[in-house]
Amino acid sequence: MDLKNENDAFKGKKYRWTILSLVFFATTINYLDRQVISLLKDDYLAPLFGWDETDYANIVIAFQVTYAMGMVGAGFIIDKIGTKLGYALSLTVWSIASIGHAFAGSTFGFMMARGVLGFSESGNFPAAIKTVAEWFPKKERALAAGIFNSGTNIGAILAPLTVPLIAGIWGWQYAFIITGLIGLVWLIFWWLFYESPQKHKKISKEEYDYIHSDDIDEIITEEKSEKIPWIKLLGYRQTWAFASLKFFSDPVWWFLLFWLPSFLNKQYGMTKLDLAFPIAVVYTMAMFGSIGGGWLSGYFIQCGWPLYKARRRALLLFAICALPMIVAQWLGTFNYWYAVIIIGLAASAHQAWSANIFTTVSDMFPKKAVASVVGIGGMIGAIGGVIIAKVAGLILDHYSVLGKIETGYYIMFIICALAYLVAWTVFSLLVPKMPKVTI
């Protein structure tokens, strides 16, 4: 009998990882759904609907703008109605929007579907970070964030392996329909397995106490407490500290996501077939960076470092790891794999960086405000993404006309390489010891 109780307690102590696996798969689906259109553009959609690059750019911008707008609203809604219902609502809408692409009959129709997808997909990260804040102690939150954030890389790897295959067998419409249906299947498992730790029947007292072991200063009655208007959160420097991290670093990820294939093609003459393996290498490295980066600051905390010191030192290390991007293009002239590996290192550093900056929100804010602050920062980061897209387009078009496109990419890589140090400096000036907000 005692042995059975011990086994039950052991199983209960691990239940937070089951919850994390659900968040990981949701994030994978999030990136899988957003990648479909880019993989179908050249071979199916552009010829069928007569798109030029401006038409496609407008569709991309529709996603980015609504994603930025949705971030604030999504965070506020998730904090107000709770993680379980908020995450389910977000994923339901974005899955339906993804399926809706299959029924778009014009460029405007795709812009509408893309806009709804961007607005609803914005709920993923506020909900995911809030889940981590609810289910993990501070010393494990960066690792947990790194694990679920690695789903972005898995989605980016899975998309080119599956979407063209589905489109080739059943038609381009089914690429949208099948990937959208995957999200609806996820909802079944989310509804069956998720509940807050306070209400969950499968969590042991041992695990519950462990989750809150380094957060005893916060009253565990979040679901009953007063919700915080997001406009009030703008008055805290901690909000702007997180937003600055997102504003300067998110554009780097957007640039790599949208321009890496074009860079490899124009700089080194790679064809579509040539691109698949190098891109998979970059995102695989990024996946390991996400998990390893999340582990590192947790390790520093276990070594006895103060929380603020562990987070800031980890972020500084990742910022330094992005600096070699400055020479990636030059080294690639000797062998393009040098450029691929350096860009992979930068992508890895970015994901490690992301795993840690997400946890700074739950470090500095009570759980009832986490999703809202993540939403505000996500909106600012998405605005940075729109700016980098415009800047990259202007710079690359200018140097392309001059016949020196490589100079344009060199300038962009300098901007990307330095962005993290700028972000780290601003963050350190605003919240040098990351004080906890009292609301």
Side-chain angles (χ1 to χ4, degrees):
M1 187 68 178
D2 290 340
L3 181 59
K4 181 181 183 300
N5 289 337
E6 288 180 7
N7 288 335
D8 288 343
F10 178 77
K11 291 178 182 178
K13 192 175 181 181
K14 302 295 182 182
Y15 198 80
R16 65 192 181 282
W17 300 103
T18 300
I19 298 298
L20 185 64
S21 69
L22 291 171
V23 179
F24 166 83
F25 284 116
T27 305
T28 300
I29 296 167
N30 185 277
Y31 261 69
L32 179 63
D33 286 347
R34 75 173 63 179
Q35 296 271 340
V36 175
I37 194 170
S38 64
L39 295 165
L40 299 177
K41 167 182 170 278
D42 292 333
D43 294 333
Y44 296 94
L45 303 179
L48 181 62
F49 295 100
W51 292 349
D52 56 21
E53 289 301 321
T54 299
D55 291 324
Y56 180 66
N58 289 335
I59 293 170
V60 171
I61 290 172
F63 177 90
Q64 289 180 307
V65 170
T66 57
Y67 186 84
M69 294 170 56
M71 269 289 183
V72 173
F76 174 76
I77 291 171
I78 290 165
D79 274 333
K80 189 172 184 63
I81 67 177
T83 310
K84 183 174 185 176
L85 183 57
Y87 216 150
L89 178 63
S90 175
L91 206 138
T92 299
V93 177
W94 99 50
S95 297
I96 294 173
S98 180
I99 294 171
H101 285 67
F103 302 97
S106 65
T107 302
F108 180 74
F110 274 94
M111 288 179 66
M112 291 294 293
R114 209 69 189 161
V116 177
L117 182 70
F119 190 84
S120 51
E121 278 204 346
S122 65
N124 182 76
F125 282 96
I129 296 302
K130 189 174 179 69
T131 301
V132 168
E134 289 175 342
W135 275 90
F136 287 84
K138 289 180 180 179
K139 56 179 171 284
E140 287 185 349
R141 286 177 191 170
L143 174 59
I147 291 173
F148 90 71
N149 194 47
S150 68
T152 61
N153 308 295
I154 299 299
I157 293 170
L158 285 178
L161 296 176
T162 57
V163 170
L165 181 63
I166 295 170
I169 297 175
W170 292 296
W172 66 267
Q173 293 93 336
Y174 280 92
F176 289 110
I177 292 171
I178 292 174
T179 53
L181 287 174
I182 293 172
L184 298 179
V185 172
W186 176 90
L187 283 169
I188 299 172
F189 292 94
W190 176 254
W191 209 254
L192 289 174
F193 289 100
Y194 185 83
E195 192 53 84
S196 66
Q198 296 94 313
K199 300 178 182 178
H200 214 296
K201 296 179 180 179
K202 292 189 177 180
I203 183 175
S204 66
K205 184 180 184 302
E206 181 185 9
E207 183 169 21
Y208 181 88
D209 292 342
Y210 177 73
I211 289 170
H212 301 103
S213 60
D214 54 6
D215 205 18
I216 57 176
D217 58 315
E218 190 169 330
I219 300 174
I220 314 302
T221 56
E222 298 292 341
E223 298 301 324
K224 298 180 181 179
S225 61
E226 180 184 355
K227 304 307 176 185
I228 305 166
W230 68 266
I231 195 73
K232 181 178 180 180
L233 296 170
L234 297 178
Y236 296 101
R237 69 180 187 276
Q238 288 89 338
T239 302
W240 293 105
F242 173 68
S244 69
L245 293 176
K246 297 287 285 180
F247 178 77
F248 289 107
S249 63
D250 274 16
V252 179
W253 185 252
W254 287 107
F255 177 74
L256 293 178
L257 199 65
F258 291 125
W259 268 275
L260 178 58
S262 179
F263 165 71
L264 294 175
N265 172 261
K266 293 179 180 179
Q267 186 73 35
Y268 307 115
M270 293 188 189
T271 65
K272 282 187 177 180
L273 293 176
D274 297 330
L275 287 171
F277 185 59
I279 290 176
V281 169
V282 169
Y283 286 118
T284 300
M285 291 177 67
M287 177 184 67
F288 285 106
S290 182
I291 298 172
W295 169 85
L296 184 62
S297 64
Y299 173 75
F300 289 158
I301 293 171
Q302 290 178 359
C303 289
W305 289 22
L307 183 67
Y308 76 90
K309 183 178 180 181
R311 300 284 193 238
R312 284 182 54 201
R313 290 290 175 87
L315 288 173
L316 179 59
L317 177 61
F318 305 140
I320 292 171
C321 287
L323 289 177
M325 267 197 292
I326 294 174
V327 297
Q329 186 182 22
W330 172 70
L331 288 176
T333 59
F334 299 98
N335 187 314
Y336 72 80
W337 275 109
Y338 293 147
V340 170
I341 295 302
I342 290 175
I343 293 171
L345 174 64
S348 178
H350 175 87
Q351 292 295 71
W353 169 279
S354 294
N356 280 273
I357 67 173
F358 280 133
T359 58
T360 63
V361 179
S362 57
D363 292 338
M364 296 187 293
F365 287 88
K367 294 184 181 71
K368 61 185 177 182
V370 165
S372 295
V373 176
V374 171
I376 292 169
M379 179 193 69
I380 300 299
I383 291 172
V386 174
I387 293 173
I388 199 72
K390 291 294 186 182
V391 170
L394 290 171
I395 290 176
L396 295 176
D397 279 344
H398 173 73
Y399 284 100
S400 180
V401 170
L402 298 177
K404 298 180 179 179
I405 187 67
E406 66 278 359
T407 303
Y409 279 113
Y410 182 62
I411 293 172
M412 290 307 303
F413 280 127
I414 291 176
I415 294 172
C416 292
L418 297 177
Y420 299 93
L421 283 177
V422 174
W424 184 87
T425 301
V426 174
F427 179 78
S428 298
L429 290 173
L430 286 173
V431 286
K433 293 191 175 182
M434 295 173 55
K436 184 96 173 187
V437 170
T438 301
I439 301 178

